[in-house]
Amino acid sequence: MHGPALVRHALKNVENVPDRKFCDIGDIEIVPGSYELTAKRIRETVKEIKEANSAAFPMAVGGEHLITLPIIEALRPKTIIQMDAHSDTRENYLGRKYSHATWAFYASEISKIIQIGLNAVSEEEKKFLARSKNIQTLSVADFLKFKPNIEKPVHLTIDMDVFDPSYVEAGFPEGNAKPDDVFAVLGRIVPQSMDIVEINDDRLPSKTAFLAAELIKRVLQNV
């Protein structure tokens, strides 16, 4: 709920942000209880941005990782780089087709996904990943050592729970990545769009938001 506001605050206080033209279009109003209507608003917003400026670098900040799916549906990138403690490849979760735990299952029908930093994968997801031809899972070390072929355009999605809990206040403390690990990965990729999710802090200063702002700075240095 407070993720976008916290990151806006953090970006004002992070030093050496690259000199870029930013256009903050504000928050997309969700439709409570309706993923379909909320997703429609996200898709339409992303498409309007690209229609207004085809060279724009769309960037979304939020809490629920499900926002990534309509972004992917709008942009249809060739590759998704997913940094996350979780695979999010369940076909349904708690009786729901669309949730933070299922978005990558459906996104993999559109784009190739390279998942980096997984640390908590269900048995159901392990079986799916074993048979999926469109998802590759790598540790941070393996990505840096054996950089896979990355077909452009690339969408980068970072779930803040990929980090060790000492660095963030994410809702699911199951990650084990250190900031330098993630920074090293970002130094090897050049995305054309991105999102950062699971920013669940509810107060300032927010260490999760400041780390998210640093991630944004590092990505903008490369694009």
Side-chain angles (χ1 to χ4, degrees), residues 26-64:
D27 295 350
I28 297 175
E29 292 293 329
I30 67 169
V31 181
S34 177
Y35 165 72
E36 288 76 11
L37 292 177
T38 300
K40 182 174 182 289
R41 291 184 176 185
I42 295 173
R43 287 192 297 269
E44 290 176 347
T45 300
V46 173
K47 288 179 180 179
E48 287 173 4
I49 291 170
K50 294 300 287 185
E51 288 170 359
N53 180 1
S54 61
F57 183 90
M59 180 186 304
V61 175
E64 169 65 74

PDB file of all heavy atoms in Angstrom, residues 26-64:
ATOM      1  N   GLY A  26       1.945   8.913 -11.083  1.00  0.00           N
ATOM      2  CA  GLY A  26       1.117   8.671  -9.910  1.00  0.00           C
ATOM      3  C   GLY A  26       0.723   7.215  -9.767  1.00  0.00           C
ATOM      4  O   GLY A  26       1.141   6.357 -10.537  1.00  0.00           O
ATOM      5  N   ASP A  27      -0.086   6.951  -8.769  1.00  0.00           N
ATOM      6  CA  ASP A  27      -0.498   5.578  -8.487  1.00  0.00           C
ATOM      7  C   ASP A  27      -1.664   5.163  -9.379  1.00  0.00           C
ATOM      8  O   ASP A  27      -2.569   5.968  -9.664  1.00  0.00           O
ATOM      9  CB  ASP A  27      -0.936   5.443  -7.030  1.00  0.00           C
ATOM     10  CG  ASP A  27       0.198   5.680  -6.048  1.00  0.00           C
ATOM     11  OD1 ASP A  27       1.357   5.767  -6.509  1.00  0.00           O
ATOM     12  OD2 ASP A  27      -0.072   5.777  -4.841  1.00  0.00           O
ATOM     13  N   ILE A  28      -1.643   3.914  -9.818  1.00  0.00           N
ATOM     14  CA  ILE A  28      -2.788   3.349 -10.525  1.00  0.00           C
ATOM     15  C   ILE A  28      -3.794   2.891  -9.473  1.00  0.00           C
ATOM     16  O   ILE A  28      -3.461   2.111  -8.581  1.00  0.00           O
ATOM     17  CB  ILE A  28      -2.371   2.163 -11.413  1.00  0.00           C
ATOM     18  CG1 ILE A  28      -1.413   2.645 -12.502  1.00  0.00           C
ATOM     19  CG2 ILE A  28      -3.587   1.481 -12.026  1.00  0.00           C
ATOM     20  CD1 ILE A  28      -0.857   1.529 -13.366  1.00  0.00           C
ATOM     21  N   GLU A  29      -4.997   3.385  -9.561  1.00  0.00           N
ATOM     22  CA  GLU A  29      -6.027   3.019  -8.596  1.00  0.00           C
ATOM     23  C   GLU A  29      -6.472   1.581  -8.826  1.00  0.00           C
ATOM     24  O   GLU A  29      -6.902   1.227  -9.926  1.00  0.00           O
ATOM     25  CB  GLU A  29      -7.226   3.966  -8.713  1.00  0.00           C
ATOM     26  CG  GLU A  29      -6.949   5.394  -8.274  1.00  0.00           C
ATOM     27  CD  GLU A  29      -6.691   5.491  -6.774  1.00  0.00           C
ATOM     28  OE1 GLU A  29      -7.267   4.675  -6.019  1.00  0.00           O
ATOM     29  OE2 GLU A  29      -5.914   6.365  -6.371  1.00  0.00           O
ATOM     30  N   ILE A  30      -6.350   0.761  -7.792  1.00  0.00           N
ATOM     31  CA  ILE A  30      -6.798  -0.618  -7.918  1.00  0.00           C
ATOM     32  C   ILE A  30      -8.319  -0.687  -7.778  1.00  0.00           C
ATOM     33  O   ILE A  30      -8.942   0.237  -7.254  1.00  0.00           O
ATOM     34  CB  ILE A  30      -6.140  -1.526  -6.863  1.00  0.00           C
ATOM     35  CG1 ILE A  30      -6.625  -1.142  -5.456  1.00  0.00           C
ATOM     36  CG2 ILE A  30      -4.630  -1.456  -6.950  1.00  0.00           C
ATOM     37  CD1 ILE A  30      -6.240  -2.152  -4.395  1.00  0.00           C
ATOM     38  N   VAL A  31      -8.896  -1.768  -8.274  1.00  0.00           N
ATOM     39  CA  VAL A  31     -10.326  -2.023  -8.103  1.00  0.00           C
ATOM     40  C   VAL A  31     -10.439  -3.104  -7.037  1.00  0.00           C
ATOM     41  O   VAL A  31     -10.158  -4.278  -7.312  1.00  0.00           O
ATOM     42  CB  VAL A  31     -10.975  -2.488  -9.417  1.00  0.00           C
ATOM     43  CG1 VAL A  31     -12.473  -2.727  -9.194  1.00  0.00           C
ATOM     44  CG2 VAL A  31     -10.740  -1.466 -10.519  1.00  0.00           C
ATOM     45  N   PRO A  32     -10.793  -2.765  -5.809  1.00  0.00           N
ATOM     46  CA  PRO A  32     -10.832  -3.753  -4.728  1.00  0.00           C
ATOM     47  C   PRO A  32     -11.678  -4.972  -5.093  1.00  0.00           C
ATOM     48  O   PRO A  32     -12.806  -4.843  -5.567  1.00  0.00           O
ATOM     49  CB  PRO A  32     -11.464  -2.974  -3.562  1.00  0.00           C
ATOM     50  CG  PRO A  32     -11.123  -1.543  -3.849  1.00  0.00           C
ATOM     51  CD  PRO A  32     -11.190  -1.421  -5.346  1.00  0.00           C
ATOM     52  N   GLY A  33     -11.091  -6.138  -4.908  1.00  0.00           N
ATOM     53  CA  GLY A  33     -11.816  -7.372  -5.150  1.00  0.00           C
ATOM     54  C   GLY A  33     -11.831  -7.844  -6.584  1.00  0.00           C
ATOM     55  O   GLY A  33     -12.373  -8.906  -6.883  1.00  0.00           O
ATOM     56  N   SER A  34     -11.227  -7.063  -7.501  1.00  0.00           N
ATOM     57  CA  SER A  34     -11.252  -7.459  -8.917  1.00  0.00           C
ATOM     58  C   SER A  34      -9.854  -7.378  -9.512  1.00  0.00           C
ATOM     59  O   SER A  34      -9.382  -6.286  -9.870  1.00  0.00           O
ATOM     60  CB  SER A  34     -12.205  -6.590  -9.724  1.00  0.00           C
ATOM     61  OG  SER A  34     -12.157  -6.944 -11.096  1.00  0.00           O
ATOM     62  N   TYR A  35      -9.201  -8.527  -9.621  1.00  0.00           N
ATOM     63  CA  TYR A  35      -7.911  -8.543 -10.302  1.00  0.00           C
ATOM     64  C   TYR A  35      -8.086  -8.170 -11.766  1.00  0.00           C
ATOM     65  O   TYR A  35      -7.278  -7.424 -12.330  1.00  0.00           O
ATOM     66  CB  TYR A  35      -7.245  -9.915 -10.205  1.00  0.00           C
ATOM     67  CG  TYR A  35      -6.115 -10.048 -11.202  1.00  0.00           C
ATOM     68  CD1 TYR A  35      -4.923  -9.361 -11.006  1.00  0.00           C
ATOM     69  CD2 TYR A  35      -6.268 -10.801 -12.365  1.00  0.00           C
ATOM     70  CE1 TYR A  35      -3.898  -9.431 -11.936  1.00  0.00           C
ATOM     71  CE2 TYR A  35      -5.243 -10.880 -13.292  1.00  0.00           C
ATOM     72  CZ  TYR A  35      -4.061 -10.199 -13.082  1.00  0.00           C
ATOM     73  OH  TYR A  35      -3.062 -10.258 -14.009  1.00  0.00           O
ATOM     74  N   GLU A  36      -9.127  -8.676 -12.413  1.00  0.00           N
ATOM     75  CA  GLU A  36      -9.317  -8.460 -13.853  1.00  0.00           C
ATOM     76  C   GLU A  36      -9.406  -6.970 -14.183  1.00  0.00           C
ATOM     77  O   GLU A  36      -8.757  -6.495 -15.136  1.00  0.00           O
ATOM     78  CB  GLU A  36     -10.570  -9.188 -14.339  1.00  0.00           C
ATOM     79  CG  GLU A  36     -10.453 -10.701 -14.394  1.00  0.00           C
ATOM     80  CD  GLU A  36     -10.547 -11.368 -13.024  1.00  0.00           C
ATOM     81  OE1 GLU A  36     -10.919 -10.670 -12.044  1.00  0.00           O
ATOM     82  OE2 GLU A  36     -10.260 -12.573 -12.931  1.00  0.00           O
ATOM     83  N   LEU A  37     -10.187  -6.213 -13.422  1.00  0.00           N
ATOM     84  CA  LEU A  37     -10.329  -4.783 -13.700  1.00  0.00           C
ATOM     85  C   LEU A  37      -9.057  -4.015 -13.352  1.00  0.00           C
ATOM     86  O   LEU A  37      -8.674  -3.080 -14.057  1.00  0.00           O
ATOM     87  CB  LEU A  37     -11.521  -4.220 -12.941  1.00  0.00           C
ATOM     88  CG  LEU A  37     -12.895  -4.712 -13.408  1.00  0.00           C
ATOM     89  CD1 LEU A  37     -14.001  -4.144 -12.522  1.00  0.00           C
ATOM     90  CD2 LEU A  37     -13.140  -4.342 -14.871  1.00  0.00           C
ATOM     91  N   THR A  38      -8.397  -4.425 -12.266  1.00  0.00           N
ATOM     92  CA  THR A  38      -7.131  -3.786 -11.911  1.00  0.00           C
ATOM     93  C   THR A  38      -6.082  -4.057 -12.981  1.00  0.00           C
ATOM     94  O   THR A  38      -5.349  -3.144 -13.404  1.00  0.00           O
ATOM     95  CB  THR A  38      -6.637  -4.296 -10.544  1.00  0.00           C
ATOM     96  OG1 THR A  38      -7.609  -3.991  -9.549  1.00  0.00           O
ATOM     97  CG2 THR A  38      -5.308  -3.652 -10.174  1.00  0.00           C
ATOM     98  N   ALA A  39      -6.003  -5.307 -13.439  1.00  0.00           N
ATOM     99  CA  ALA A  39      -5.041  -5.664 -14.482  1.00  0.00           C
ATOM    100  C   ALA A  39      -5.309  -4.894 -15.760  1.00  0.00           C
ATOM    101  O   ALA A  39      -4.378  -4.470 -16.461  1.00  0.00           O
ATOM    102  CB  ALA A  39      -5.096  -7.169 -14.751  1.00  0.00           C
ATOM    103  N   LYS A  40      -6.571  -4.699 -16.083  1.00  0.00           N
ATOM    104  CA  LYS A  40      -6.927  -3.930 -17.282  1.00  0.00           C
ATOM    105  C   LYS A  40      -6.398  -2.504 -17.187  1.00  0.00           C
ATOM    106  O   LYS A  40      -5.867  -1.958 -18.158  1.00  0.00           O
ATOM    107  CB  LYS A  40      -8.448  -3.924 -17.449  1.00  0.00           C
ATOM    108  CG  LYS A  40      -8.955  -3.205 -18.695  1.00  0.00           C
ATOM    109  CD  LYS A  40     -10.463  -3.402 -18.822  1.00  0.00           C
ATOM    110  CE  LYS A  40     -11.013  -2.740 -20.097  1.00  0.00           C
ATOM    111  NZ  LYS A  40     -11.007  -1.275 -20.001  1.00  0.00           N
ATOM    112  N   ARG A  41      -6.515  -1.901 -16.009  1.00  0.00           N
ATOM    113  CA  ARG A  41      -5.994  -0.543 -15.818  1.00  0.00           C
ATOM    114  C   ARG A  41      -4.475  -0.511 -15.974  1.00  0.00           C
ATOM    115  O   ARG A  41      -3.919   0.427 -16.563  1.00  0.00           O
ATOM    116  CB  ARG A  41      -6.388  -0.023 -14.435  1.00  0.00           C
ATOM    117  CG  ARG A  41      -7.871   0.254 -14.280  1.00  0.00           C
ATOM    118  CD  ARG A  41      -8.183   0.855 -12.926  1.00  0.00           C
ATOM    119  NE  ARG A  41      -9.588   1.207 -12.822  1.00  0.00           N
ATOM    120  CZ  ARG A  41     -10.127   1.839 -11.783  1.00  0.00           C
ATOM    121  NH1 ARG A  41      -9.348   2.179 -10.748  1.00  0.00           N
ATOM    122  NH2 ARG A  41     -11.418   2.128 -11.756  1.00  0.00           N
ATOM    123  N   ILE A  42      -3.799  -1.534 -15.436  1.00  0.00           N
ATOM    124  CA  ILE A  42      -2.339  -1.573 -15.556  1.00  0.00           C
ATOM    125  C   ILE A  42      -1.927  -1.733 -17.011  1.00  0.00           C
ATOM    126  O   ILE A  42      -1.044  -1.020 -17.504  1.00  0.00           O
ATOM    127  CB  ILE A  42      -1.765  -2.716 -14.690  1.00  0.00           C
ATOM    128  CG1 ILE A  42      -2.019  -2.433 -13.209  1.00  0.00           C
ATOM    129  CG2 ILE A  42      -0.268  -2.884 -14.953  1.00  0.00           C
ATOM    130  CD1 ILE A  42      -1.642  -3.580 -12.289  1.00  0.00           C
ATOM    131  N   ARG A  43      -2.558  -2.672 -17.714  1.00  0.00           N
ATOM    132  CA  ARG A  43      -2.227  -2.883 -19.134  1.00  0.00           C
ATOM    133  C   ARG A  43      -2.444  -1.608 -19.944  1.00  0.00           C
ATOM    134  O   ARG A  43      -1.587  -1.212 -20.763  1.00  0.00           O
ATOM    135  CB  ARG A  43      -3.070  -4.020 -19.721  1.00  0.00           C
ATOM    136  CG  ARG A  43      -2.663  -5.407 -19.268  1.00  0.00           C
ATOM    137  CD  ARG A  43      -3.341  -6.464 -20.119  1.00  0.00           C
ATOM    138  NE  ARG A  43      -4.796  -6.425 -19.978  1.00  0.00           N
ATOM    139  CZ  ARG A  43      -5.477  -7.136 -19.076  1.00  0.00           C
ATOM    140  NH1 ARG A  43      -4.840  -7.939 -18.236  1.00  0.00           N
ATOM    141  NH2 ARG A  43      -6.793  -7.065 -19.032  1.00  0.00           N
ATOM    142  N   GLU A  44      -3.567  -0.968 -19.739  1.00  0.00           N
ATOM    143  CA  GLU A  44      -3.878   0.250 -20.501  1.00  0.00           C
ATOM    144  C   GLU A  44      -2.882   1.359 -20.199  1.00  0.00           C
ATOM    145  O   GLU A  44      -2.462   2.088 -21.109  1.00  0.00           O
ATOM    146  CB  GLU A  44      -5.301   0.708 -20.183  1.00  0.00           C
ATOM    147  CG  GLU A  44      -6.382  -0.208 -20.748  1.00  0.00           C
ATOM    148  CD  GLU A  44      -7.780   0.217 -20.331  1.00  0.00           C
ATOM    149  OE1 GLU A  44      -7.899   1.068 -19.401  1.00  0.00           O
ATOM    150  OE2 GLU A  44      -8.756  -0.297 -20.921  1.00  0.00           O
ATOM    151  N   THR A  45      -2.487   1.479 -18.934  1.00  0.00           N
ATOM    152  CA  THR A  45      -1.529   2.530 -18.560  1.00  0.00           C
ATOM    153  C   THR A  45      -0.175   2.291 -19.215  1.00  0.00           C
ATOM    154  O   THR A  45       0.436   3.219 -19.772  1.00  0.00           O
ATOM    155  CB  THR A  45      -1.371   2.585 -17.030  1.00  0.00           C
ATOM    156  OG1 THR A  45      -2.637   2.870 -16.432  1.00  0.00           O
ATOM    157  CG2 THR A  45      -0.376   3.663 -16.632  1.00  0.00           C
ATOM    158  N   VAL A  46       0.304   1.057 -19.157  1.00  0.00           N
ATOM    159  CA  VAL A  46       1.603   0.731 -19.757  1.00  0.00           C
ATOM    160  C   VAL A  46       1.567   0.962 -21.263  1.00  0.00           C
ATOM    161  O   VAL A  46       2.507   1.535 -21.848  1.00  0.00           O
ATOM    162  CB  VAL A  46       2.003  -0.719 -19.433  1.00  0.00           C
ATOM    163  CG1 VAL A  46       3.269  -1.106 -20.191  1.00  0.00           C
ATOM    164  CG2 VAL A  46       2.213  -0.894 -17.934  1.00  0.00           C
ATOM    165  N   LYS A  47       0.499   0.556 -21.913  1.00  0.00           N
ATOM    166  CA  LYS A  47       0.383   0.749 -23.356  1.00  0.00           C
ATOM    167  C   LYS A  47       0.338   2.231 -23.713  1.00  0.00           C
ATOM    168  O   LYS A  47       0.946   2.662 -24.705  1.00  0.00           O
ATOM    169  CB  LYS A  47      -0.863   0.034 -23.884  1.00  0.00           C
ATOM    170  CG  LYS A  47      -0.727  -1.484 -23.900  1.00  0.00           C
ATOM    171  CD  LYS A  47      -1.997  -2.146 -24.401  1.00  0.00           C
ATOM    172  CE  LYS A  47      -1.864  -3.657 -24.418  1.00  0.00           C
ATOM    173  NZ  LYS A  47      -3.112  -4.321 -24.877  1.00  0.00           N
ATOM    174  N   GLU A  48      -0.350   3.031 -22.909  1.00  0.00           N
ATOM    175  CA  GLU A  48      -0.419   4.474 -23.172  1.00  0.00           C
ATOM    176  C   GLU A  48       0.953   5.120 -23.039  1.00  0.00           C
ATOM    177  O   GLU A  48       1.302   6.025 -23.808  1.00  0.00           O
ATOM    178  CB  GLU A  48      -1.411   5.122 -22.206  1.00  0.00           C
ATOM    179  CG  GLU A  48      -2.874   4.818 -22.534  1.00  0.00           C
ATOM    180  CD  GLU A  48      -3.820   5.331 -21.470  1.00  0.00           C
ATOM    181  OE1 GLU A  48      -3.342   5.988 -20.507  1.00  0.00           O
ATOM    182  OE2 GLU A  48      -5.039   5.087 -21.591  1.00  0.00           O
ATOM    183  N   ILE A  49       1.736   4.657 -22.067  1.00  0.00           N
ATOM    184  CA  ILE A  49       3.088   5.193 -21.903  1.00  0.00           C
ATOM    185  C   ILE A  49       3.929   4.918 -23.143  1.00  0.00           C
ATOM    186  O   ILE A  49       4.611   5.810 -23.666  1.00  0.00           O
ATOM    187  CB  ILE A  49       3.757   4.586 -20.653  1.00  0.00           C
ATOM    188  CG1 ILE A  49       3.088   5.092 -19.381  1.00  0.00           C
ATOM    189  CG2 ILE A  49       5.259   4.898 -20.626  1.00  0.00           C
ATOM    190  CD1 ILE A  49       3.530   4.371 -18.125  1.00  0.00           C
ATOM    191  N   LYS A  50       3.897   3.684 -23.624  1.00  0.00           N
ATOM    192  CA  LYS A  50       4.708   3.320 -24.788  1.00  0.00           C
ATOM    193  C   LYS A  50       4.193   3.990 -26.062  1.00  0.00           C
ATOM    194  O   LYS A  50       4.979   4.310 -26.961  1.00  0.00           O
ATOM    195  CB  LYS A  50       4.736   1.805 -24.954  1.00  0.00           C
ATOM    196  CG  LYS A  50       5.447   1.075 -23.823  1.00  0.00           C
ATOM    197  CD  LYS A  50       6.897   1.503 -23.672  1.00  0.00           C
ATOM    198  CE  LYS A  50       7.760   0.966 -24.797  1.00  0.00           C
ATOM    199  NZ  LYS A  50       9.200   1.281 -24.584  1.00  0.00           N
ATOM    200  N   GLU A  51       2.891   4.206 -26.159  1.00  0.00           N
ATOM    201  CA  GLU A  51       2.347   4.899 -27.329  1.00  0.00           C
ATOM    202  C   GLU A  51       2.752   6.368 -27.325  1.00  0.00           C
ATOM    203  O   GLU A  51       3.008   6.957 -28.382  1.00  0.00           O
ATOM    204  CB  GLU A  51       0.828   4.768 -27.347  1.00  0.00           C
ATOM    205  CG  GLU A  51       0.346   3.360 -27.709  1.00  0.00           C
ATOM    206  CD  GLU A  51      -1.142   3.184 -27.498  1.00  0.00           C
ATOM    207  OE1 GLU A  51      -1.802   4.164 -27.053  1.00  0.00           O
ATOM    208  OE2 GLU A  51      -1.655   2.073 -27.746  1.00  0.00           O
ATOM    209  N   ALA A  52       2.817   6.965 -26.145  1.00  0.00           N
ATOM    210  CA  ALA A  52       3.211   8.371 -26.039  1.00  0.00           C
ATOM    211  C   ALA A  52       4.697   8.546 -26.303  1.00  0.00           C
ATOM    212  O   ALA A  52       5.129   9.558 -26.872  1.00  0.00           O
ATOM    213  CB  ALA A  52       2.857   8.915 -24.657  1.00  0.00           C
ATOM    214  N   ASN A  53       5.502   7.553 -25.903  1.00  0.00           N
ATOM    215  CA  ASN A  53       6.953   7.636 -26.098  1.00  0.00           C
ATOM    216  C   ASN A  53       7.491   6.219 -26.198  1.00  0.00           C
ATOM    217  O   ASN A  53       7.666   5.539 -25.181  1.00  0.00           O
ATOM    218  CB  ASN A  53       7.612   8.391 -24.944  1.00  0.00           C
ATOM    219  CG  ASN A  53       9.122   8.509 -25.107  1.00  0.00           C
ATOM    220  OD1 ASN A  53       9.692   8.044 -26.097  1.00  0.00           O
ATOM    221  ND2 ASN A  53       9.774   9.126 -24.143  1.00  0.00           N
ATOM    222  N   SER A  54       7.758   5.777 -27.390  1.00  0.00           N
ATOM    223  CA  SER A  54       8.215   4.394 -27.594  1.00  0.00           C
ATOM    224  C   SER A  54       9.562   4.127 -26.939  1.00  0.00           C
ATOM    225  O   SER A  54       9.919   2.965 -26.685  1.00  0.00           O
ATOM    226  CB  SER A  54       8.297   4.082 -29.092  1.00  0.00           C
ATOM    227  OG  SER A  54       9.234   4.950 -29.735  1.00  0.00           O
ATOM    228  N   ALA A  55      10.332   5.189 -26.662  1.00  0.00           N
ATOM    229  CA  ALA A  55      11.645   5.029 -26.032  1.00  0.00           C
ATOM    230  C   ALA A  55      11.567   5.089 -24.508  1.00  0.00           C
ATOM    231  O   ALA A  55      12.588   4.980 -23.833  1.00  0.00           O
ATOM    232  CB  ALA A  55      12.604   6.104 -26.537  1.00  0.00           C
ATOM    233  N   ALA A  56      10.377   5.242 -23.967  1.00  0.00           N
ATOM    234  CA  ALA A  56      10.222   5.346 -22.512  1.00  0.00           C
ATOM    235  C   ALA A  56      10.643   4.051 -21.830  1.00  0.00           C
ATOM    236  O   ALA A  56      10.531   2.961 -22.406  1.00  0.00           O
ATOM    237  CB  ALA A  56       8.782   5.682 -22.163  1.00  0.00           C
ATOM    238  N   PHE A  57      11.116   4.184 -20.607  1.00  0.00           N
ATOM    239  CA  PHE A  57      11.508   3.036 -19.786  1.00  0.00           C
ATOM    240  C   PHE A  57      10.460   2.879 -18.688  1.00  0.00           C
ATOM    241  O   PHE A  57      10.537   3.517 -17.636  1.00  0.00           O
ATOM    242  CB  PHE A  57      12.886   3.281 -19.177  1.00  0.00           C
ATOM    243  CG  PHE A  57      13.421   2.129 -18.359  1.00  0.00           C
ATOM    244  CD1 PHE A  57      14.182   1.144 -18.962  1.00  0.00           C
ATOM    245  CD2 PHE A  57      13.163   2.036 -16.992  1.00  0.00           C
ATOM    246  CE1 PHE A  57      14.688   0.081 -18.208  1.00  0.00           C
ATOM    247  CE2 PHE A  57      13.651   0.979 -16.247  1.00  0.00           C
ATOM    248  CZ  PHE A  57      14.415  -0.003 -16.854  1.00  0.00           C
ATOM    249  N   PRO A  58       9.455   2.036 -18.901  1.00  0.00           N
ATOM    250  CA  PRO A  58       8.400   1.886 -17.887  1.00  0.00           C
ATOM    251  C   PRO A  58       8.949   1.252 -16.616  1.00  0.00           C
ATOM    252  O   PRO A  58       9.687   0.268 -16.672  1.00  0.00           O
ATOM    253  CB  PRO A  58       7.381   0.957 -18.564  1.00  0.00           C
ATOM    254  CG  PRO A  58       7.683   1.047 -20.026  1.00  0.00           C
ATOM    255  CD  PRO A  58       9.163   1.260 -20.111  1.00  0.00           C
ATOM    256  N   MET A  59       8.573   1.835 -15.486  1.00  0.00           N
ATOM    257  CA  MET A  59       9.022   1.333 -14.198  1.00  0.00           C
ATOM    258  C   MET A  59       7.848   1.367 -13.231  1.00  0.00           C
ATOM    259  O   MET A  59       7.200   2.401 -13.082  1.00  0.00           O
ATOM    260  CB  MET A  59      10.164   2.193 -13.661  1.00  0.00           C
ATOM    261  CG  MET A  59      10.721   1.756 -12.322  1.00  0.00           C
ATOM    262  SD  MET A  59      11.928   2.933 -11.684  1.00  0.00           S
ATOM    263  CE  MET A  59      13.097   3.007 -13.031  1.00  0.00           C
ATOM    264  N   ALA A  60       7.580   0.241 -12.595  1.00  0.00           N
ATOM    265  CA  ALA A  60       6.467   0.165 -11.646  1.00  0.00           C
ATOM    266  C   ALA A  60       6.996  -0.226 -10.277  1.00  0.00           C
ATOM    267  O   ALA A  60       7.937  -1.010 -10.162  1.00  0.00           O
ATOM    268  CB  ALA A  60       5.436  -0.851 -12.118  1.00  0.00           C
ATOM    269  N   VAL A  61       6.364   0.322  -9.247  1.00  0.00           N
ATOM    270  CA  VAL A  61       6.735   0.013  -7.861  1.00  0.00           C
ATOM    271  C   VAL A  61       5.467  -0.383  -7.125  1.00  0.00           C
ATOM    272  O   VAL A  61       4.441   0.286  -7.243  1.00  0.00           O
ATOM    273  CB  VAL A  61       7.377   1.236  -7.171  1.00  0.00           C
ATOM    274  CG1 VAL A  61       7.656   0.940  -5.705  1.00  0.00           C
ATOM    275  CG2 VAL A  61       8.649   1.654  -7.886  1.00  0.00           C
ATOM    276  N   GLY A  62       5.537  -1.481  -6.395  1.00  0.00           N
ATOM    277  CA  GLY A  62       4.326  -1.893  -5.701  1.00  0.00           C
ATOM    278  C   GLY A  62       4.584  -2.863  -4.566  1.00  0.00           C
ATOM    279  O   GLY A  62       5.719  -3.111  -4.175  1.00  0.00           O
ATOM    280  N   GLY A  63       3.491  -3.432  -4.084  1.00  0.00           N
ATOM    281  CA  GLY A  63       3.568  -4.419  -3.039  1.00  0.00           C
ATOM    282  C   GLY A  63       3.325  -5.808  -3.598  1.00  0.00           C
ATOM    283  O   GLY A  63       4.204  -6.664  -3.583  1.00  0.00           O
ATOM    284  N   GLU A  64       2.155  -6.032  -4.154  1.00  0.00           N
ATOM    285  CA  GLU A  64       1.741  -7.343  -4.657  1.00  0.00           C
ATOM    286  C   GLU A  64       2.464  -7.687  -5.960  1.00  0.00           C
ATOM    287  O   GLU A  64       2.401  -6.931  -6.939  1.00  0.00           O
ATOM    288  CB  GLU A  64       0.223  -7.317  -4.888  1.00  0.00           C
ATOM    289  CG  GLU A  64      -0.356  -8.472  -5.641  1.00  0.00           C
ATOM    290  CD  GLU A  64      -0.228  -9.786  -4.907  1.00  0.00           C
ATOM    291  OE1 GLU A  64      -0.970 -10.005  -3.937  1.00  0.00           O
ATOM    292  OE2 GLU A  64       0.625 -10.583  -5.345  1.00  0.00           O
TER     293      GLU A  64
END
